[in-house]
Amino acid sequence: MSVRSRFVLLFSIIGFIITLFSSCFKDEIVNTDPGFKLRFSTDSVFFDTTFTTIGSATKILKVFNDSKDPVVISEAKIRGSQGIHFTCNIDGIPGNDLNDIRIEAKDSIYVFCKVKVDPDQNLTESPFILNDFLDFTINSNTQSVVLVAWGQNANYITNKDNIGSQTLFTCDLGTVTWNDPKPYVIYGSLIIDECQLIIPEGARIYIHGGLVIPPGVNDAPFTDGRIFVGPRGQLTINGTAEKPVKFRGDRLEDEFKDKDGQWGGIVIFNSNRINKFSYLDLRNSNFGILADSATTLHLDHTIIDNVVLNCLIGNHATIKATNCLFSNSVGYNVVLTYGGNYNFDYCSIPNVSGQSFAMSLDNYTCDQDELGNCIKGSVKTNKAILVVRNSILSGLDDDEIKFVDAFEGAQPDQFQYSFTNSVLKVDDYQKDLYFQERNSNCIYMKRTDKIYVNENNSLFQLDSLSLARGIAVPIPTIQDDILGKIRKMVTPDAGCFEYLP
């Protein structure tokens, strides 16, 4: 071989080596941009299987790298927030916590997610809704995909992809009764319209709520899991003393037993029918019941307890409440606004938090500025009528009743109220002549007075030394208490509980 040929061969080999090394170095260049985001085929993986025995289902998620360079997922991990229900296989590798997963430029990988459910497990081990997250950490940022599956045998009313959304429940102006012995589970929000929904004794309704951020609302979160009764809808609850109807959040583990704000609440909006709730036990919501826009609501033997905002809200509504307990709200227990017609007989309304009032009543509404003040010219008024008999409005503040009259007494027919044979916590209102003229046979409690067995532990039955004992006037149409116990014929007790030694 000539010298020239040898040099040509040598340079060719050197060139090949340089090219090889360059290719290797180029392959090692990965995207390290901290603002880079992976793209997913979906942001939520829903398992649509209905389980009647132990079963499993598999779903596919695709993960895209839209960058011109390779990327490395430093960790892909299932959080395990509800125990190990979900498992994954990521790019051919099984595991719930994997590291250093490479996706080439303009390429993608497959993720196979699996859930295994025993529908007969105890609820503390497998709730109705199994909810977890698959987290992908890349360039020090974490993106999450939601994993959702049914976990127990129940009647699932809404779809799994209904989180933050609403489902219409209708029956062409007919009637539907939820009389299946299995629980009913609502995921997201349910609108009842052009239908009468009847919920019989002993029914259990579980609502999956939680904070969601709707698109295009400036990232303002709200509590999901609400029940709306529309203009041509009607909700009838027929519980009994032995078998009340229970509304709860769907997390029944012990640590969620007393956690408020788990779901939204019930809204009756402009319904032109009478909605009647008997022996309802509603707990752990954001608010209890909102009766809005001239709706009519009858409540009897009802407990609304442990809510974030208000137990009962009436907005230009007609509400009749008998033998009811409205307790453990961070806000006002009962809010009655923009007027309306309200009657409370044998009700207990204890303001245990001491941060607000047991009851608030006004006869106006308005548009508000950023400070919460009414904008000039935006005030609208409506006649307010309130009648309270044989009830208890108690609490830690000097006054547990708040009245705001837009007319400031100039038109007394537009703001009427009366209290009879009730226990009231009112220090300042005792000096108000207008208030004194509108109550009779009421007892004004002091901070040291005994009312309940132990309000700090939510035991609102009457103590043996309670001021509420024997002060009520008999109402012929109401002969029992919230538990169905017969009241004394001559000198019954005020509040929802009759004292029985």
Side-chain angles (χ1 to χ4, degrees), residues 125-141:
E125 300 176 15
S126 179
F128 288 110
I129 306 293
L130 303 178
N131 201 151
D132 214 325
F133 298 88
L134 176 56
D135 296 329
F136 295 87
T137 301
I138 181 171
N139 300 344
S140 300
N141 288 319

Side-chain angles (χ1 to χ4, degrees), residues 23 31 48 77 93 300 327 434:
S23 176
N31 187 321
D48 298 322
K77 178 182 180 181
I93 304 174
D300 68 85
S327 52
Y434 186 84

Side-chain angles (χ1 to χ4, degrees), residues 201-302:
E201 63 178 6
R204 294 161 293 162
I205 315 299
Y206 298 104
I207 302 97
H208 184 87
L211 289 178
V212 296
I213 302 177
V217 193
N218 298 322
D219 292 341
F222 72 93
T223 303
D224 197 18
R226 303 184 182 195
I227 299 174
F228 294 89
V229 181
R232 303 182 73 183
Q234 185 177 18
L235 179 59
T236 301
I237 296 175
N238 293 328
T240 63
E242 296 76 18
K243 296 180 179 181
V245 172
K246 296 182 179 181
F247 278 67
R248 300 284 192 275
D250 72 318
R251 299 298 301 272
L252 302 186
E253 303 94 313
D254 286 342
E255 59 265 34
F256 287 87
K257 181 179 179 181
D258 298 318
K259 184 176 178 57
D260 58 17
Q262 295 180 44
W263 60 287
I266 298 176
V267 179
I268 306 171
F269 180 77
N270 202 25
S271 174
N272 55 22
R273 303 181 183 183
I274 298 177
N275 295 269
K276 296 182 179 181
F277 300 171
S278 296
Y279 286 99
L280 166 65
D281 187 333
L282 185 158
R283 300 176 190 263
N284 303 341
S285 55
N286 190 40
F287 60 91
I289 301 174
L290 166 59
D292 195 11
S293 301
T295 60
T296 299
L297 172 64
H298 291 177
L299 299 172
D300 68 85
H301 305 84
T302 287

